[in-house]
Amino acid sequence: MPDNHPSYFGRPGICRNCGALIGAGETSCQMCGAPARQTSPPALPLHERYAMNYARAVLSRPYIFTIVFIVANLFVFMLMWEASGMSSLVLWGGFPEEVLLAFGAKMNYWIQHEHEWWRFVTPVFIHVNLPHILINMYSLWVIGPWVEKLYGSVKFVVFWVATGVAGVAASYLTVIPGLRPGLIGSFLIKTADVPSAGASGALFGLVGVLFVFGLKYRRELPEGFKRAFGTGMLPVILLNLGIGFLARGVIDNAAHMGGLLSGAAFAAVVSYKRPGASTGVTIAWRVLQIAALLLVVISFGFAARASQRTPARSENSESRIGGRTGTFDENYRAIYAGESTGINALKTGDISGVDPAIAQLDKTEHFNDESDALRVELRSLLIRVVKYVHDWGPPRKMTTDGVVEREKLVNDFKQWQKRFRDWLRAGGIEVPDPGPTK
């Protein structure tokens, strides 16, 4: 075999002039100075050169907004910790509900009754405790750079905010107080209106982007990218959905699914930045990026104004209206759930949630005499709603007596709603007058 065969490259050789040993990689003989006869390394196959060039072009791109969002989440978390008294117990056990709500956690009550629509945005940047933010920020550090490098920083910002908001919206739509969803339905449906927060919906959005990206461009991706994205994301998705099913009621699976599906939809219609393509972005995408960032800033501005206008509920509300045993939040949550169930039953005739709502009212502990009176009166109204639906609901024909009974029931509900909101205001919670109960 000739000494310039490619398999000899990089190996020790023999000097043809004096017979001395020439070390690997040396260009001349150390004994006589004669030049060594070595060849260039063999050329890589075309597909390997393509894979190397593709990876080099993608991996060299910046991922500045991944870092920006990590810093922003950590900054908000530190502000929440400071507002909670810098307690180590709070770090691990979770922030008080009043702190979560003051910083913008999603809770249907405040969106529906106070019209605090900014709560669809702020939850993406706040977290419940230290493990929560550490897990989410580590996941963002792992997944975020890939999406930002493939699609560019401008589109990455839009993806993050939009899929995060979609996750919060899905969480909002799946809160149905009083419903009995069963084993499968409980994966998505929540029967209690509790504060919800976290970046996991946006993280699932990025997973959805990478999943569809790998499927959409599988014919042009190098082998390593094919294994990492597309079907390579399935184990991650299935594992997280499995964990969500086991921890339903604790994990907000609706937010995860909302983020995942919206991220997949974005990737299906938005093209990525191919290696060698122009690094510029259209004016439309730049406008969307600025709008997304402004939306976040403005939403937190509204949250700050609301927290200054509305005192924290746990201590202030209890001291103002004289609670003794139960908590203010426990009472208003049970009463609000019963109110929502009653209104829904009047509108739709669906009374399946009334019994659970009554049971929740019955097991709520005493707070003060007024809250007890509100709960007792609401319980009576719910029983009347059930009787009305049985007597006059479809397919029965509405008569004059039925119309009169409905009007009386609606008026009694309105009067009760006014007393309920007066009670909330007595606790330092400014609420607008309720809309008409029809």
Side-chain angles (χ1 to χ4, degrees):
M1 185 180 291
D3 61 351
N4 63 348
H5 190 275
S7 63
Y8 283 174
F9 179 78
R11 297 182 181 181
I14 302 296
C15 178
R16 289 180 172 272
N17 185 48
C18 67
L21 183 67
I22 299 177
E26 294 183 0
T27 59
S28 62
C29 176
Q30 298 298 316
M31 299 300 294
C32 67
R37 298 182 60 185
Q38 296 201 10
T39 62
S40 300
L44 291 173
L46 180 61
H47 71 278
E48 292 187 19
R49 293 203 306 272
Y50 174 73
M52 289 182 62
N53 292 335
Y54 189 100
R56 187 181 296 114
V58 171
L59 295 177
S60 62
R61 293 171 179 170
Y63 51 97
I64 184 64
F65 273 96
T66 296
I67 299 173
V68 168
F69 286 147
I70 290 175
V71 171
N73 277 268
L74 292 173
F75 176 70
V76 173
F77 185 84
M78 294 301 295
L79 291 179
M80 295 174 69
W81 188 30
E82 190 275 334
S84 302
M86 306 291 284
S87 169
S88 59
L89 293 177
V90 167
L91 281 180
W92 298 98
F95 295 120
E97 184 173 298
E98 64 269 19
V99 173
L100 290 171
L101 292 173
F103 276 82
K106 188 277 299 179
M107 195 167 181
N108 284 29
Y109 177 86
W110 300 104
I111 295 175
Q112 293 172 357
H113 292 269
E114 315 308 319
H115 307 299
E116 294 178 347
W117 306 112
W118 42 266
R119 290 189 187 272
F120 283 110
V121 181
T122 50
V124 183
F125 294 87
I126 64 178
H127 292 82
V128 174
N129 54 29
L130 184 60
H132 191 204
I133 192 171
L134 289 180
I135 292 171
N136 279 351
M137 291 305 98
Y138 173 75
S139 300
L140 176 56
W141 177 251
V142 172
I143 300 174
W146 281 111
V147 177
E148 188 168 0
K149 289 178 178 183
L150 288 168
Y151 285 87
S153 296
V154 172
K155 294 178 181 178
F156 172 78
V157 169
V158 177
F159 288 170
W160 178 261
V161 176
T163 58
V165 171
V168 178
S171 175
Y172 170 84
L173 294 173
T174 51
V175 175
I176 309 177
L179 186 67
R180 295 177 180 175
L183 181 64
I184 303 301
S186 61
F187 176 74
L188 293 176
I189 296 174
K190 302 169 286 295
T191 58
D193 184 23
V194 297
S196 177
S200 52
L203 286 168
F204 267 79
L206 300 186
V207 170
V209 169
L210 293 179
F211 175 67
V212 173
F213 164 80
L215 297 178
K216 184 178 179 181
Y217 299 106
R218 62 188 180 277
R219 298 186 183 280
E220 66 182 75
L221 295 179
E223 195 61 35
F225 283 76
K226 290 180 183 180
R227 289 195 298 267
F229 308 133
T231 55
M233 299 300 296
L234 277 177
V236 176
I237 296 172
L238 295 176
L239 176 62
N240 279 277
L241 293 180
I243 294 173
F245 183 78
L246 294 176
R248 58 192 182 281
V250 178
I251 294 177
D252 195 338
N253 293 299
H256 293 179
M257 293 302 297
L260 180 69
L261 295 177
S262 60
F266 272 119
V269 298
V270 176
S271 60
Y272 82 109
K273 292 174 60 177
R274 288 175 170 80
S278 172
T279 58
V281 293
T282 64
I283 295 177
W285 275 108
R286 183 68 70 182
V287 169
L288 287 174
Q289 180 198 29
I290 295 172
L293 293 174
L294 284 176
L295 179 64
V296 173
V297 173
I298 292 172
S299 296
F300 273 101
F302 277 112
R305 287 182 57 188
S307 64
Q308 292 173 0
R309 183 177 67 250
T310 303
R313 290 191 296 280
S314 285
E315 295 181 1
N316 292 345
S317 300
E318 293 180 15
S319 62
R320 291 183 184 204
I321 55 181
R324 298 184 185 89
T325 306
T327 66
F328 181 83
D329 285 338
E330 178 190 11
N331 274 261
Y332 94 74
R333 194 179 301 136
I335 295 171
Y336 165 65
E339 177 191 29
S340 300
T341 301
I343 293 174
N344 180 66
L346 272 176
K347 289 180 177 179
T348 66
D350 180 9
I351 58 174
S352 60
V354 172
D355 286 343
I358 291 176
Q360 186 177 355
L361 290 170
D362 289 344
K363 71 180 182 181
T364 301
E365 294 184 356
H366 168 78
F367 177 69
N368 64 8
D369 292 341
E370 188 173 358
S371 67
D372 285 349
L374 284 167
R375 286 193 285 114
V376 170
E377 187 177 354
L378 177 59
R379 190 182 193 280
S380 176
L381 285 169
L382 291 176
I383 293 174
R384 287 174 56 191
V385 168
V386 172
K387 184 178 184 304
Y388 166 78
V389 172
H390 280 312
D391 291 345
W392 307 106
R396 299 167 186 81
K397 184 177 179 180
M398 180 68 73
T399 66
T400 302
D401 291 342
V403 173
V404 171
E405 175 62 24
R406 180 181 178 84
E407 289 181 353
K408 186 176 186 306
L409 188 54
V410 168
N411 288 333
D412 289 346
F413 233 114
K414 288 180 178 179
Q415 293 176 14
W416 176 90
Q417 286 178 309
K418 182 180 184 304
R419 288 192 292 274
F420 176 40
R421 277 151 184 78
D422 288 342
W423 179 67
L424 290 176
R425 293 188 182 99
I429 302 174
E430 292 298 328
V431 291
D433 293 330
T437 303
K438 298 180 180 179

